[in-house]
């Protein structure tokens, strides 16, 4: 319940400036995630990269939409997102987000290097 945009395919001055800051690193993917009420991400990993990163841009409701890490299918860590927080973790680490319950959209930008 939301949208995801591949930032590597988007031509916009702000995005282009941001991508230039990553130019000395092999960026394998970059995308924006706009999550609406009821949305979230199922458990997954990014096996092609080395480090996954997520930057939380707008988080109107911090009580839901948490980032959860898993080991052996069991949750082992929960991160409560807030605007301005950047989380980096191994791409191979299985992660998900809990269902977002906020009334206003939640926005994050993620990229793998």
């Amino acid at each position: 319940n939301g949208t995801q945009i591949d930032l590597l395919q988007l031509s916009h001055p702000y995005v282009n400036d941001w991508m230039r800051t990553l130019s000395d690193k092999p960026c394998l993917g970059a995308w924006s995630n706009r999550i609406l009420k009821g949305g979230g991400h199922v458990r997954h990993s990014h096996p092609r990269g080395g480090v996954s990163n997520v930057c939380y841009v707008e988080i109107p409701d911090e009580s839901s939409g948490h980032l959860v890490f898993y080991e052996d299918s069991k949750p082992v860590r929960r991160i409560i997102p807030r605007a301005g927080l950047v989380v980096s973790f191994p791409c191979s680490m299985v992660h998900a987000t809990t269902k977002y319950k906020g009334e206003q959209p939640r926005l994050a930008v993620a990229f793998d290097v």
Side-chain angles (χ1 to χ4, degrees):
N1 198 15
T3 57
Q4 183 169 301
I5 297 172
D6 182 347
L7 296 178
L8 296 181
Q9 303 299 316
L10 186 66
S11 181
H12 186 280
Y14 295 134
V15 174
N16 295 341
D17 287 346
W18 180 70
M19 293 307 295
R20 273 193 288 280
T21 67
L22 298 175
S23 63
D24 63 334
K25 296 160 189 69
C27 188
L28 300 174
W31 52 96
S32 69
N33 290 304
R34 182 174 176 259
I35 298 177
L36 305 175
K37 185 175 184 175
H41 294 282
V42 297
R43 277 188 270 174
H44 67 285
S45 65
H46 305 230
R48 292 184 331 136
V51 179
S52 284
N53 307 273
V54 59
C55 175
Y56 295 100
V57 180
E58 290 182 10
I59 309 296
D61 180 353
E62 295 178 1
S63 69
S64 62
H66 298 165
L67 176 62
V68 180
F69 294 105
Y70 295 84
E71 287 180 10
D72 299 323
S73 298
K74 294 184 175 110
V76 294
R77 176 114 195 228
R78 178 182 296 254
I79 305 290
I80 299 172
R82 66 181 192 285
L85 177 68
V86 177
V87 180
S88 298
F89 53 94
C91 283
S92 60
M93 185 168 261
V94 177
H95 58 285
T97 58
T98 61
K99 187 181 288 189
Y100 181 62
K101 298 176 183 175
E103 296 296 328
Q104 300 298 317
R106 181 187 104 141
L107 180 62
V109 174
F111 60 99
D112 291 345
V113 294

PDB file of all heavy atoms in Angstrom, residues 42-77:
ATOM      1  N   VAL A  42       7.414  -6.977   3.193  1.00  0.00           N
ATOM      2  CA  VAL A  42       7.561  -8.349   3.666  1.00  0.00           C
ATOM      3  C   VAL A  42       9.040  -8.656   3.875  1.00  0.00           C
ATOM      4  O   VAL A  42       9.915  -7.938   3.380  1.00  0.00           O
ATOM      5  CB  VAL A  42       6.940  -9.352   2.671  1.00  0.00           C
ATOM      6  CG1 VAL A  42       5.442  -9.123   2.528  1.00  0.00           C
ATOM      7  CG2 VAL A  42       7.632  -9.289   1.323  1.00  0.00           C
ATOM      8  N   ARG A  43       9.336  -9.737   4.593  1.00  0.00           N
ATOM      9  CA  ARG A  43      10.724 -10.136   4.841  1.00  0.00           C
ATOM     10  C   ARG A  43      11.449 -10.367   3.523  1.00  0.00           C
ATOM     11  O   ARG A  43      10.932 -11.045   2.635  1.00  0.00           O
ATOM     12  CB  ARG A  43      10.769 -11.420   5.658  1.00  0.00           C
ATOM     13  CG  ARG A  43      10.628 -11.175   7.127  1.00  0.00           C
ATOM     14  CD  ARG A  43      10.872 -12.433   7.890  1.00  0.00           C
ATOM     15  NE  ARG A  43       9.582 -13.108   8.020  1.00  0.00           N
ATOM     16  CZ  ARG A  43       9.416 -14.299   8.542  1.00  0.00           C
ATOM     17  NH1 ARG A  43      10.448 -14.986   8.984  1.00  0.00           N
ATOM     18  NH2 ARG A  43       8.231 -14.826   8.639  1.00  0.00           N
ATOM     19  N   HIS A  44      12.646  -9.802   3.439  1.00  0.00           N
ATOM     20  CA  HIS A  44      13.464  -9.971   2.241  1.00  0.00           C
ATOM     21  C   HIS A  44      14.906  -9.564   2.560  1.00  0.00           C
ATOM     22  O   HIS A  44      15.203  -9.065   3.631  1.00  0.00           O
ATOM     23  CB  HIS A  44      12.914  -9.118   1.086  1.00  0.00           C
ATOM     24  CG  HIS A  44      13.027  -7.648   1.320  1.00  0.00           C
ATOM     25  ND1 HIS A  44      12.195  -6.951   2.197  1.00  0.00           N
ATOM     26  CD2 HIS A  44      13.887  -6.719   0.821  1.00  0.00           C
ATOM     27  CE1 HIS A  44      12.543  -5.679   2.204  1.00  0.00           C
ATOM     28  NE2 HIS A  44      13.569  -5.496   1.377  1.00  0.00           N
ATOM     29  N   SER A  45      15.789  -9.791   1.601  1.00  0.00           N
ATOM     30  CA  SER A  45      17.177  -9.332   1.697  1.00  0.00           C
ATOM     31  C   SER A  45      17.591  -8.842   0.314  1.00  0.00           C
ATOM     32  O   SER A  45      16.830  -8.945  -0.642  1.00  0.00           O
ATOM     33  CB  SER A  45      18.099 -10.461   2.182  1.00  0.00           C
ATOM     34  OG  SER A  45      18.140 -11.501   1.223  1.00  0.00           O
ATOM     35  N   HIS A  46      18.791  -8.302   0.227  1.00  0.00           N
ATOM     36  CA  HIS A  46      19.330  -7.787  -1.034  1.00  0.00           C
ATOM     37  C   HIS A  46      20.658  -8.494  -1.272  1.00  0.00           C
ATOM     38  O   HIS A  46      21.721  -7.930  -1.020  1.00  0.00           O
ATOM     39  CB  HIS A  46      19.545  -6.277  -0.944  1.00  0.00           C
ATOM     40  CG  HIS A  46      18.332  -5.509  -0.542  1.00  0.00           C
ATOM     41  ND1 HIS A  46      17.894  -4.407  -1.229  1.00  0.00           N
ATOM     42  CD2 HIS A  46      17.443  -5.659   0.471  1.00  0.00           C
ATOM     43  CE1 HIS A  46      16.792  -3.930  -0.654  1.00  0.00           C
ATOM     44  NE2 HIS A  46      16.521  -4.670   0.386  1.00  0.00           N
ATOM     45  N   PRO A  47      20.640  -9.719  -1.762  1.00  0.00           N
ATOM     46  CA  PRO A  47      21.854 -10.537  -1.818  1.00  0.00           C
ATOM     47  C   PRO A  47      22.943 -10.062  -2.780  1.00  0.00           C
ATOM     48  O   PRO A  47      24.085 -10.494  -2.668  1.00  0.00           O
ATOM     49  CB  PRO A  47      21.329 -11.913  -2.220  1.00  0.00           C
ATOM     50  CG  PRO A  47      20.034 -11.653  -2.909  1.00  0.00           C
ATOM     51  CD  PRO A  47      19.468 -10.425  -2.253  1.00  0.00           C
ATOM     52  N   ARG A  48      22.626  -9.134  -3.686  1.00  0.00           N
ATOM     53  CA  ARG A  48      23.637  -8.692  -4.656  1.00  0.00           C
ATOM     54  C   ARG A  48      24.628  -7.689  -4.097  1.00  0.00           C
ATOM     55  O   ARG A  48      25.712  -7.533  -4.616  1.00  0.00           O
ATOM     56  CB  ARG A  48      22.972  -8.056  -5.890  1.00  0.00           C
ATOM     57  CG  ARG A  48      22.202  -8.990  -6.743  1.00  0.00           C
ATOM     58  CD  ARG A  48      21.649  -8.310  -7.988  1.00  0.00           C
ATOM     59  NE  ARG A  48      21.382  -6.903  -7.807  1.00  0.00           N
ATOM     60  CZ  ARG A  48      21.711  -5.954  -8.688  1.00  0.00           C
ATOM     61  NH1 ARG A  48      22.293  -6.277  -9.809  1.00  0.00           N
ATOM     62  NH2 ARG A  48      21.432  -4.699  -8.451  1.00  0.00           N
ATOM     63  N   GLY A  49      24.270  -6.952  -3.081  1.00  0.00           N
ATOM     64  CA  GLY A  49      25.113  -5.856  -2.616  1.00  0.00           C
ATOM     65  C   GLY A  49      25.949  -6.186  -1.392  1.00  0.00           C
ATOM     66  O   GLY A  49      25.991  -7.320  -0.923  1.00  0.00           O
ATOM     67  N   GLY A  50      26.590  -5.165  -0.873  1.00  0.00           N
ATOM     68  CA  GLY A  50      27.386  -5.292   0.329  1.00  0.00           C
ATOM     69  C   GLY A  50      26.702  -4.639   1.514  1.00  0.00           C
ATOM     70  O   GLY A  50      26.565  -5.234   2.574  1.00  0.00           O
ATOM     71  N   VAL A  51      26.248  -3.378   1.314  1.00  0.00           N
ATOM     72  CA  VAL A  51      25.620  -2.630   2.399  1.00  0.00           C
ATOM     73  C   VAL A  51      24.309  -2.021   1.906  1.00  0.00           C
ATOM     74  O   VAL A  51      24.269  -1.357   0.871  1.00  0.00           O
ATOM     75  CB  VAL A  51      26.550  -1.501   2.911  1.00  0.00           C
ATOM     76  CG1 VAL A  51      25.871  -0.708   4.024  1.00  0.00           C
ATOM     77  CG2 VAL A  51      27.874  -2.071   3.396  1.00  0.00           C
ATOM     78  N   SER A  52      23.243  -2.273   2.656  1.00  0.00           N
ATOM     79  CA  SER A  52      21.945  -1.639   2.412  1.00  0.00           C
ATOM     80  C   SER A  52      21.828  -0.433   3.326  1.00  0.00           C
ATOM     81  O   SER A  52      22.325  -0.457   4.461  1.00  0.00           O
ATOM     82  CB  SER A  52      20.800  -2.605   2.717  1.00  0.00           C
ATOM     83  OG  SER A  52      20.650  -3.565   1.709  1.00  0.00           O
ATOM     84  N   ASN A  53      21.162   0.587   2.844  1.00  0.00           N
ATOM     85  CA  ASN A  53      21.001   1.824   3.607  1.00  0.00           C
ATOM     86  C   ASN A  53      19.586   2.330   3.430  1.00  0.00           C
ATOM     87  O   ASN A  53      19.016   2.233   2.349  1.00  0.00           O
ATOM     88  CB  ASN A  53      21.956   2.900   3.082  1.00  0.00           C
ATOM     89  CG  ASN A  53      23.383   2.421   3.043  1.00  0.00           C
ATOM     90  OD1 ASN A  53      24.082   2.527   4.026  1.00  0.00           O
ATOM     91  ND2 ASN A  53      23.810   1.854   1.914  1.00  0.00           N
ATOM     92  N   VAL A  54      19.036   2.883   4.498  1.00  0.00           N
ATOM     93  CA  VAL A  54      17.730   3.528   4.410  1.00  0.00           C
ATOM     94  C   VAL A  54      17.809   4.836   5.176  1.00  0.00           C
ATOM     95  O   VAL A  54      18.359   4.894   6.272  1.00  0.00           O
ATOM     96  CB  VAL A  54      16.583   2.626   4.918  1.00  0.00           C
ATOM     97  CG1 VAL A  54      16.773   2.224   6.350  1.00  0.00           C
ATOM     98  CG2 VAL A  54      15.231   3.296   4.719  1.00  0.00           C
ATOM     99  N   CYS A  55      17.304   5.888   4.547  1.00  0.00           N
ATOM    100  CA  CYS A  55      17.241   7.211   5.170  1.00  0.00           C
ATOM    101  C   CYS A  55      15.765   7.570   5.288  1.00  0.00           C
ATOM    102  O   CYS A  55      15.049   7.609   4.286  1.00  0.00           O
ATOM    103  CB  CYS A  55      17.967   8.240   4.306  1.00  0.00           C
ATOM    104  SG  CYS A  55      17.795   9.926   4.934  1.00  0.00           S
ATOM    105  N   TYR A  56      15.341   7.808   6.509  1.00  0.00           N
ATOM    106  CA  TYR A  56      13.948   8.163   6.753  1.00  0.00           C
ATOM    107  C   TYR A  56      13.775   9.666   6.570  1.00  0.00           C
ATOM    108  O   TYR A  56      14.447  10.450   7.221  1.00  0.00           O
ATOM    109  CB  TYR A  56      13.530   7.708   8.145  1.00  0.00           C
ATOM    110  CG  TYR A  56      13.566   6.206   8.260  1.00  0.00           C
ATOM    111  CD1 TYR A  56      14.633   5.564   8.859  1.00  0.00           C
ATOM    112  CD2 TYR A  56      12.540   5.435   7.723  1.00  0.00           C
ATOM    113  CE1 TYR A  56      14.678   4.178   8.937  1.00  0.00           C
ATOM    114  CE2 TYR A  56      12.578   4.060   7.795  1.00  0.00           C
ATOM    115  CZ  TYR A  56      13.648   3.437   8.403  1.00  0.00           C
ATOM    116  OH  TYR A  56      13.676   2.068   8.471  1.00  0.00           O
ATOM    117  N   VAL A  57      12.869  10.047   5.680  1.00  0.00           N
ATOM    118  CA  VAL A  57      12.681  11.447   5.298  1.00  0.00           C
ATOM    119  C   VAL A  57      11.509  12.069   6.052  1.00  0.00           C
ATOM    120  O   VAL A  57      11.669  13.083   6.725  1.00  0.00           O
ATOM    121  CB  VAL A  57      12.487  11.575   3.775  1.00  0.00           C
ATOM    122  CG1 VAL A  57      12.286  13.025   3.373  1.00  0.00           C
ATOM    123  CG2 VAL A  57      13.673  10.963   3.036  1.00  0.00           C
ATOM    124  N   GLU A  58      10.337  11.484   5.928  1.00  0.00           N
ATOM    125  CA  GLU A  58       9.143  11.973   6.623  1.00  0.00           C
ATOM    126  C   GLU A  58       8.498  10.801   7.357  1.00  0.00           C
ATOM    127  O   GLU A  58       8.090   9.828   6.726  1.00  0.00           O
ATOM    128  CB  GLU A  58       8.134  12.570   5.636  1.00  0.00           C
ATOM    129  CG  GLU A  58       8.586  13.868   5.021  1.00  0.00           C
ATOM    130  CD  GLU A  58       7.543  14.462   4.083  1.00  0.00           C
ATOM    131  OE1 GLU A  58       6.390  13.977   4.053  1.00  0.00           O
ATOM    132  OE2 GLU A  58       7.893  15.407   3.373  1.00  0.00           O
ATOM    133  N   ILE A  59       8.423  10.931   8.677  1.00  0.00           N
ATOM    134  CA  ILE A  59       7.838   9.876   9.507  1.00  0.00           C
ATOM    135  C   ILE A  59       6.795  10.525  10.419  1.00  0.00           C
ATOM    136  O   ILE A  59       7.080  10.874  11.563  1.00  0.00           O
ATOM    137  CB  ILE A  59       8.923   9.145  10.343  1.00  0.00           C
ATOM    138  CG1 ILE A  59      10.087   8.678   9.478  1.00  0.00           C
ATOM    139  CG2 ILE A  59       8.299   7.977  11.113  1.00  0.00           C
ATOM    140  CD1 ILE A  59       9.722   7.642   8.430  1.00  0.00           C
ATOM    141  N   PRO A  60       5.573  10.715   9.911  1.00  0.00           N
ATOM    142  CA  PRO A  60       4.563  11.395  10.710  1.00  0.00           C
ATOM    143  C   PRO A  60       4.068  10.580  11.908  1.00  0.00           C
ATOM    144  O   PRO A  60       3.534  11.132  12.853  1.00  0.00           O
ATOM    145  CB  PRO A  60       3.423  11.659   9.738  1.00  0.00           C
ATOM    146  CG  PRO A  60       3.789  11.039   8.458  1.00  0.00           C
ATOM    147  CD  PRO A  60       5.139  10.459   8.554  1.00  0.00           C
ATOM    148  N   ASP A  61       4.232   9.244  11.863  1.00  0.00           N
ATOM    149  CA  ASP A  61       3.774   8.382  12.954  1.00  0.00           C
ATOM    150  C   ASP A  61       4.876   7.378  13.264  1.00  0.00           C
ATOM    151  O   ASP A  61       5.134   6.486  12.472  1.00  0.00           O
ATOM    152  CB  ASP A  61       2.490   7.659  12.542  1.00  0.00           C
ATOM    153  CG  ASP A  61       1.946   6.733  13.607  1.00  0.00           C
ATOM    154  OD1 ASP A  61       2.620   6.519  14.636  1.00  0.00           O
ATOM    155  OD2 ASP A  61       0.843   6.207  13.412  1.00  0.00           O
ATOM    156  N   GLU A  62       5.544   7.540  14.407  1.00  0.00           N
ATOM    157  CA  GLU A  62       6.650   6.647  14.779  1.00  0.00           C
ATOM    158  C   GLU A  62       6.175   5.393  15.506  1.00  0.00           C
ATOM    159  O   GLU A  62       6.976   4.532  15.852  1.00  0.00           O
ATOM    160  CB  GLU A  62       7.658   7.393  15.657  1.00  0.00           C
ATOM    161  CG  GLU A  62       8.355   8.517  14.941  1.00  0.00           C
ATOM    162  CD  GLU A  62       9.320   9.276  15.830  1.00  0.00           C
ATOM    163  OE1 GLU A  62       9.475   8.918  17.008  1.00  0.00           O
ATOM    164  OE2 GLU A  62       9.932  10.241  15.331  1.00  0.00           O
ATOM    165  N   SER A  63       4.863   5.255  15.720  1.00  0.00           N
ATOM    166  CA  SER A  63       4.358   4.117  16.485  1.00  0.00           C
ATOM    167  C   SER A  63       4.202   2.844  15.645  1.00  0.00           C
ATOM    168  O   SER A  63       3.906   1.780  16.175  1.00  0.00           O
ATOM    169  CB  SER A  63       3.010   4.459  17.130  1.00  0.00           C
ATOM    170  OG  SER A  63       2.008   4.590  16.137  1.00  0.00           O
ATOM    171  N   SER A  64       4.434   2.944  14.343  1.00  0.00           N
ATOM    172  CA  SER A  64       4.288   1.781  13.463  1.00  0.00           C
ATOM    173  C   SER A  64       5.244   1.927  12.286  1.00  0.00           C
ATOM    174  O   SER A  64       5.935   2.930  12.156  1.00  0.00           O
ATOM    175  CB  SER A  64       2.840   1.672  12.981  1.00  0.00           C
ATOM    176  OG  SER A  64       2.489   2.818  12.223  1.00  0.00           O
ATOM    177  N   GLY A  65       5.276   0.914  11.418  1.00  0.00           N
ATOM    178  CA  GLY A  65       6.183   0.955  10.275  1.00  0.00           C
ATOM    179  C   GLY A  65       7.630   0.789  10.686  1.00  0.00           C
ATOM    180  O   GLY A  65       8.526   1.354  10.083  1.00  0.00           O
ATOM    181  N   HIS A  66       7.873  -0.014  11.714  1.00  0.00           N
ATOM    182  CA  HIS A  66       9.226  -0.217  12.231  1.00  0.00           C
ATOM    183  C   HIS A  66      10.024  -1.159  11.339  1.00  0.00           C
ATOM    184  O   HIS A  66       9.467  -2.063  10.707  1.00  0.00           O
ATOM    185  CB  HIS A  66       9.170  -0.793  13.643  1.00  0.00           C
ATOM    186  CG  HIS A  66       8.484   0.125  14.604  1.00  0.00           C
ATOM    187  ND1 HIS A  66       8.059  -0.293  15.840  1.00  0.00           N
ATOM    188  CD2 HIS A  66       8.133   1.434  14.520  1.00  0.00           C
ATOM    189  CE1 HIS A  66       7.495   0.712  16.480  1.00  0.00           C
ATOM    190  NE2 HIS A  66       7.514   1.775  15.694  1.00  0.00           N
ATOM    191  N   LEU A  67      11.327  -0.961  11.305  1.00  0.00           N
ATOM    192  CA  LEU A  67      12.249  -1.832  10.587  1.00  0.00           C
ATOM    193  C   LEU A  67      12.617  -2.983  11.512  1.00  0.00           C
ATOM    194  O   LEU A  67      13.060  -2.761  12.643  1.00  0.00           O
ATOM    195  CB  LEU A  67      13.500  -1.040  10.184  1.00  0.00           C
ATOM    196  CG  LEU A  67      14.622  -1.796   9.500  1.00  0.00           C
ATOM    197  CD1 LEU A  67      14.179  -2.389   8.171  1.00  0.00           C
ATOM    198  CD2 LEU A  67      15.821  -0.859   9.293  1.00  0.00           C
ATOM    199  N   VAL A  68      12.423  -4.217  11.048  1.00  0.00           N
ATOM    200  CA  VAL A  68      12.701  -5.399  11.865  1.00  0.00           C
ATOM    201  C   VAL A  68      13.716  -6.270  11.143  1.00  0.00           C
ATOM    202  O   VAL A  68      13.577  -6.544   9.948  1.00  0.00           O
ATOM    203  CB  VAL A  68      11.403  -6.203  12.129  1.00  0.00           C
ATOM    204  CG1 VAL A  68      11.693  -7.432  12.974  1.00  0.00           C
ATOM    205  CG2 VAL A  68      10.350  -5.329  12.791  1.00  0.00           C
ATOM    206  N   PHE A  69      14.747  -6.713  11.879  1.00  0.00           N
ATOM    207  CA  PHE A  69      15.763  -7.625  11.350  1.00  0.00           C
ATOM    208  C   PHE A  69      15.505  -9.025  11.885  1.00  0.00           C
ATOM    209  O   PHE A  69      15.065  -9.191  13.027  1.00  0.00           O
ATOM    210  CB  PHE A  69      17.163  -7.161  11.756  1.00  0.00           C
ATOM    211  CG  PHE A  69      17.548  -5.851  11.138  1.00  0.00           C
ATOM    212  CD1 PHE A  69      17.566  -4.688  11.888  1.00  0.00           C
ATOM    213  CD2 PHE A  69      17.883  -5.776   9.801  1.00  0.00           C
ATOM    214  CE1 PHE A  69      17.913  -3.477  11.327  1.00  0.00           C
ATOM    215  CE2 PHE A  69      18.228  -4.568   9.213  1.00  0.00           C
ATOM    216  CZ  PHE A  69      18.248  -3.423   9.979  1.00  0.00           C
ATOM    217  N   TYR A  70      15.816 -10.024  11.047  1.00  0.00           N
ATOM    218  CA  TYR A  70      15.550 -11.420  11.391  1.00  0.00           C
ATOM    219  C   TYR A  70      16.816 -12.264  11.288  1.00  0.00           C
ATOM    220  O   TYR A  70      17.668 -12.013  10.435  1.00  0.00           O
ATOM    221  CB  TYR A  70      14.513 -12.014  10.429  1.00  0.00           C
ATOM    222  CG  TYR A  70      13.159 -11.384  10.536  1.00  0.00           C
ATOM    223  CD1 TYR A  70      12.854 -10.212   9.854  1.00  0.00           C
ATOM    224  CD2 TYR A  70      12.172 -11.956  11.328  1.00  0.00           C
ATOM    225  CE1 TYR A  70      11.607  -9.628   9.960  1.00  0.00           C
ATOM    226  CE2 TYR A  70      10.920 -11.373  11.433  1.00  0.00           C
ATOM    227  CZ  TYR A  70      10.652 -10.213  10.746  1.00  0.00           C
ATOM    228  OH  TYR A  70       9.415  -9.637  10.852  1.00  0.00           O
ATOM    229  N   GLU A  71      16.891 -13.272  12.153  1.00  0.00           N
ATOM    230  CA  GLU A  71      17.884 -14.341  12.045  1.00  0.00           C
ATOM    231  C   GLU A  71      17.136 -15.644  12.226  1.00  0.00           C
ATOM    232  O   GLU A  71      16.370 -15.793  13.188  1.00  0.00           O
ATOM    233  CB  GLU A  71      18.975 -14.193  13.107  1.00  0.00           C
ATOM    234  CG  GLU A  71      19.929 -13.059  12.827  1.00  0.00           C
ATOM    235  CD  GLU A  71      21.006 -12.936  13.892  1.00  0.00           C
ATOM    236  OE1 GLU A  71      21.142 -13.829  14.749  1.00  0.00           O
ATOM    237  OE2 GLU A  71      21.707 -11.908  13.870  1.00  0.00           O
ATOM    238  N   ASP A  72      17.341 -16.580  11.314  1.00  0.00           N
ATOM    239  CA  ASP A  72      16.639 -17.869  11.374  1.00  0.00           C
ATOM    240  C   ASP A  72      15.131 -17.675  11.527  1.00  0.00           C
ATOM    241  O   ASP A  72      14.482 -18.324  12.356  1.00  0.00           O
ATOM    242  CB  ASP A  72      17.180 -18.729  12.524  1.00  0.00           C
ATOM    243  CG  ASP A  72      18.656 -19.036  12.358  1.00  0.00           C
ATOM    244  OD1 ASP A  72      19.090 -19.248  11.206  1.00  0.00           O
ATOM    245  OD2 ASP A  72      19.367 -19.046  13.372  1.00  0.00           O
ATOM    246  N   SER A  73      14.570 -16.779  10.751  1.00  0.00           N
ATOM    247  CA  SER A  73      13.134 -16.480  10.717  1.00  0.00           C
ATOM    248  C   SER A  73      12.582 -15.901  12.020  1.00  0.00           C
ATOM    249  O   SER A  73      11.377 -15.821  12.202  1.00  0.00           O
ATOM    250  CB  SER A  73      12.337 -17.739  10.349  1.00  0.00           C
ATOM    251  OG  SER A  73      12.706 -18.178   9.072  1.00  0.00           O
ATOM    252  N   LYS A  74      13.449 -15.509  12.944  1.00  0.00           N
ATOM    253  CA  LYS A  74      13.002 -14.923  14.206  1.00  0.00           C
ATOM    254  C   LYS A  74      13.420 -13.463  14.268  1.00  0.00           C
ATOM    255  O   LYS A  74      14.559 -13.119  13.942  1.00  0.00           O
ATOM    256  CB  LYS A  74      13.612 -15.675  15.385  1.00  0.00           C
ATOM    257  CG  LYS A  74      13.124 -17.097  15.491  1.00  0.00           C
ATOM    258  CD  LYS A  74      13.693 -17.761  16.719  1.00  0.00           C
ATOM    259  CE  LYS A  74      13.094 -19.128  16.865  1.00  0.00           C
ATOM    260  NZ  LYS A  74      13.975 -20.209  16.625  1.00  0.00           N
ATOM    261  N   PRO A  75      12.520 -12.568  14.694  1.00  0.00           N
ATOM    262  CA  PRO A  75      12.905 -11.158  14.828  1.00  0.00           C
ATOM    263  C   PRO A  75      13.949 -10.991  15.929  1.00  0.00           C
ATOM    264  O   PRO A  75      13.807 -11.540  17.020  1.00  0.00           O
ATOM    265  CB  PRO A  75      11.603 -10.452  15.196  1.00  0.00           C
ATOM    266  CG  PRO A  75      10.665 -11.514  15.635  1.00  0.00           C
ATOM    267  CD  PRO A  75      11.135 -12.812  15.079  1.00  0.00           C
ATOM    268  N   VAL A  76      15.038 -10.258  15.611  1.00  0.00           N
ATOM    269  CA  VAL A  76      16.117 -10.079  16.584  1.00  0.00           C
ATOM    270  C   VAL A  76      16.373  -8.616  16.926  1.00  0.00           C
ATOM    271  O   VAL A  76      17.029  -8.324  17.924  1.00  0.00           O
ATOM    272  CB  VAL A  76      17.436 -10.732  16.110  1.00  0.00           C
ATOM    273  CG1 VAL A  76      17.280 -12.246  16.033  1.00  0.00           C
ATOM    274  CG2 VAL A  76      17.880 -10.165  14.778  1.00  0.00           C
ATOM    275  N   ARG A  77      15.864  -7.702  16.111  1.00  0.00           N
ATOM    276  CA  ARG A  77      16.082  -6.273  16.391  1.00  0.00           C
ATOM    277  C   ARG A  77      15.002  -5.451  15.718  1.00  0.00           C
ATOM    278  O   ARG A  77      14.630  -5.722  14.588  1.00  0.00           O
ATOM    279  CB  ARG A  77      17.460  -5.862  15.871  1.00  0.00           C
ATOM    280  CG  ARG A  77      17.757  -4.391  16.023  1.00  0.00           C
ATOM    281  CD  ARG A  77      18.866  -4.163  16.983  1.00  0.00           C
ATOM    282  NE  ARG A  77      18.909  -2.774  17.380  1.00  0.00           N
ATOM    283  CZ  ARG A  77      19.990  -2.061  17.399  1.00  0.00           C
ATOM    284  NH1 ARG A  77      21.128  -2.586  17.073  1.00  0.00           N
ATOM    285  NH2 ARG A  77      19.952  -0.807  17.787  1.00  0.00           N
TER     286      ARG A  77
END
